[in-house]
Amino acid sequence: MPSQARPLVLKFGGTSVGSPERIRHSARIAAHAAREGRPIALVVSAMAGETDRILSLCEGFEGGLGEAETDLALSAGEQVSAALMALALREGGLRARAFLGWQIPIQAEGPFGRAQISQLDGSLLKRVMDTGTIPVIAGFQGIDAQGRVRTLGRGGSDLSAVAIAAALEAECDIYTDVDGVFTTDPRIVPSARRIPAIGYDEMLELAAMGAKVLQTRSVEFAKARNVILRVKSSFLAPGDSQGTEVMNPKDLAERRIVSGIAYARAQARIRLSDLPESPDTAAEIFAALAQADIGVDMIVQTHGFETQAIALEFSVEQKDLAQALSAVKDVLERLGQGTLGHETDLAKVSVVGTGLRGRADVARTLYGVLAQEGLSVRMVATSEIKISALVQADALEHAVKALHGAYGLEA
Ligand code: ADP
Ligand code: ASP
Ligand code: MG
């Protein structure tokens, strides 16, 4: 029975489909939404822990990472949970059918392991929904032009859900194990507060700085396509979750200086000193890193007063360190000058808020708080709406709690 109401995409993450009981409970949440008369589609992640398990199996084989077959294996977790979810919906008396990415089709391009959705045809899903059947789509996967399965990067089912919502002109509810986006990870700071509504840009910055409640690219996509996006808990009774709405900042009722604190573990920093004084030096180094496909985050470049030599420091994810060092070494050899050093076991803590724009005292507060707590800061970087500090890994939780308190985010 076709309905005039706006369709809704419900995405259930790994813990929300972590066992047959959790799948049944999530199916009840979907049934509750369907009873309100809206056409719905579901997107599911692999059962919690499953993607990690498959990944470690693949890593056991030489050259396994970044290969087509690894993506094929990784995508299997979502295949299972999509089928189980369809069974659970049917058990509850609804009509449902499970789909893999290629059946929609969801086209994806880019490196194996972190492809991007390039095209998504919603017509099959619309036809299915028009007949009163609930499609349950395996998240995290698409198909490339050669007909090979590609996965969308960790947390990529969020992106699948948002892209499907955009194709269906639907709203998108992301169900997870916490009741929305909080002022920081509630697992680290139990007094963190739920943020009822947040703008796309702040959410994007929180996600990019490590708040894994939403995958960064899913927020980018939602912003670009104006998808109404909500984060909700699947661990409450159907209809009980209050959650967070991610929206156009114009529509926000409340203005805050700081919205939240995000963190990222397993960071490293690389320091290059005595580099030749030439405008091309840094460009050449970052070109080599980009060529090796390494994301560089915080960057500090200084120019000596007396020697004219350049020093360059930046942070990378620890998993990329070895590759980054080897890319940089090649450049140093070409330049015939420069000293290379690095430090590991670091973490990054970031304060995010649109109210930080143009405020001169932001760095003072951050340094002040961290110094007062006796935490040494390795590097600081700012952007329009965030300030990040690199600290020692074992000081991370301490730093998050201290900043959360200092910026007045406590419940
Ligand atoms: P799912 O498997 O449902 O996709 P994720 O583990 O990817 O769930 O994301 C949910 C987790 O994100 C929460 O359990 C929480 O620990 C973490 N998290 C980190 N930062 C935040 C934040 N600011 N607000 C809410 N959750 C956060
Ligand atoms: N199962 C994938 C992962 O663990 C995708 C997702 O859960 O969103 O990263
Ligand atoms: Mg996730």
Side-chain angles (χ1 to χ4, degrees):
M1 166 201 61
S3 156
Q4 293 312 100
R6 186 142 194 208
L8 178 67
V9 171
L10 297 90
K11 178 257 173 178
F12 293 96
T15 44
S16 306
V17 295
S19 66
E21 263 330 295
R22 292 248 57 92
I23 292 175
R24 284 196 177 95
H25 185 76
S26 295
R28 283 194 281 274
I29 291 174
H32 180 85
R35 271 200 301 277
E36 290 181 339
R38 303 175 74 170
I40 65 165
L42 268 55
V43 174
V44 290
S45 287
M47 296 170 86
E50 189 58 15
T51 307
D52 285 330
R53 188 185 71 86
I54 300 172
L55 189 60
S56 64
L57 288 172
C58 296
E59 278 170 343
F61 292 87
E62 212 181 300
L65 285 188
E67 284 297 321
E69 274 63 32
T70 298
D71 266 33
L72 186 62
L74 284 176
S75 69
E78 272 72 10
Q79 174 163 350
V80 172
S81 45
L84 295 179
M85 179 60 86
L87 292 176
L89 289 167
R90 283 193 215 146
E91 202 179 67
L94 294 161
R95 285 163 61 176
R97 181 184 154 188
F99 290 90
L100 297 177
W102 64 266
Q103 293 173 305
I104 306 294
I106 299 173
Q107 243 121 49
E109 278 162 25
F112 286 106
R114 45 198 182 79
Q116 317 226 25
I117 293 179
S118 51
Q119 221 188 320
L120 202 163
D121 182 354
S123 53
L124 170 64
L125 293 176
K126 281 183 189 152
R127 283 202 303 279
V128 169
M129 289 160 80
D130 280 346
T131 66
T133 297
I134 300 171
V136 182
I137 302 117
F140 185 49
Q141 54 179 268
I143 183 123
D144 69 14
Q146 287 74 44
R148 309 194 88 157
V149 170
R150 286 186 194 242
T151 62
L152 306 177
R154 297 311 301 267
S157 298
D158 293 339
L159 178 62
S160 310
V162 171
I164 289 168
L168 298 175
E169 290 166 80
E171 298 180 356
C172 185
D173 284 357
I174 304 278
Y175 280 89
T176 184
D177 54 3
V178 288
D179 193 18
V181 180
F182 282 67
T183 47
T184 192
D185 188 345
R187 294 185 201 287
I188 290 201
V189 183
S191 60
R193 276 184 295 124
R194 181 176 57 85
I195 306 173
I198 188 167
Y200 287 119
D201 290 322
E202 283 168 295
M203 189 62 238
L204 196 53
E205 198 74 56
L206 280 174
M209 292 302 111
K212 70 170 187 159
V213 60
L214 284 177
Q215 191 217 30
T216 309
R217 269 159 45 196
S218 73
V219 185
E220 254 163 20
F221 202 109
K223 181 186 170 190
R225 302 285 296 271
N226 259 307
V227 176
I228 293 179
L229 183 62
R230 285 176 292 255
V231 178
K232 293 185 164 195
S233 169
S234 74
F235 283 65
L236 298 169
D240 277 5
S241 172
Q242 295 183 288
T244 295
E245 183 158 333
V246 186
M247 53 163 73
N248 195 318
K250 288 202 314 289
D251 304 330
L252 286 173
E254 189 200 0
R255 298 242 167 259
R256 293 172 295 255
I257 293 178
V258 167
S259 284
I261 315 286
Y263 66 88
R265 298 186 197 273
Q267 304 290 305
R269 80 175 161 132
I270 294 180
R271 181 178 164 76
L272 295 152
S273 46
D274 295 324
L275 293 170
E277 196 267 315
S278 142
D280 302 337
T281 307
E284 210 177 316
I285 287 164
F286 292 120
L289 291 162
Q291 179 76 29
D293 214 8
I294 290 161
V296 173
D297 186 29
M298 307 162 98
I299 301 173
V300 179
Q301 185 192 328
T302 50
H303 204 129
F305 279 114
E306 282 103 34
T307 63
Q308 300 293 310
I310 290 173
L312 195 60
E313 260 190 55
F314 53 88
S315 67
V316 295
E317 285 187 47
Q318 201 149 308
K319 67 170 175 50
D320 293 335
L321 179 65
Q323 241 195 314
L325 287 173
S326 109
V328 168
K329 262 184 211 147
D330 290 345
V331 179
L332 292 191
E333 269 164 34
R334 268 206 302 282
L335 296 172
Q337 189 184 331
T339 319
L340 177 62
H342 71 271
E343 183 183 14
T344 57
D345 295 319
L346 299 171
K348 183 173 62 184
V349 47
S350 306
V351 180
V352 174
T354 45
L356 296 178
R357 264 187 197 125
R359 282 182 73 125
D361 58 345
V362 174
R364 186 190 68 192
T365 311
L366 178 108
Y367 274 110
V369 171
L370 297 178
Q372 200 182 340
E373 299 291 324
L375 303 176
S376 95
V377 175
R378 294 298 203 275
M379 212 190 302
V380 165
T382 61
S383 79
E384 244 208 321
I385 61 164
K386 71 124 202 277
I387 177 161
S388 305
L390 210 56
V391 299
Q392 277 174 303
D394 57 10
L396 176 66
E397 296 201 4
H398 188 163
V400 170
K401 284 182 186 137
L403 290 170
H404 190 260
Y407 284 97
L409 300 173
E410 298 286 315

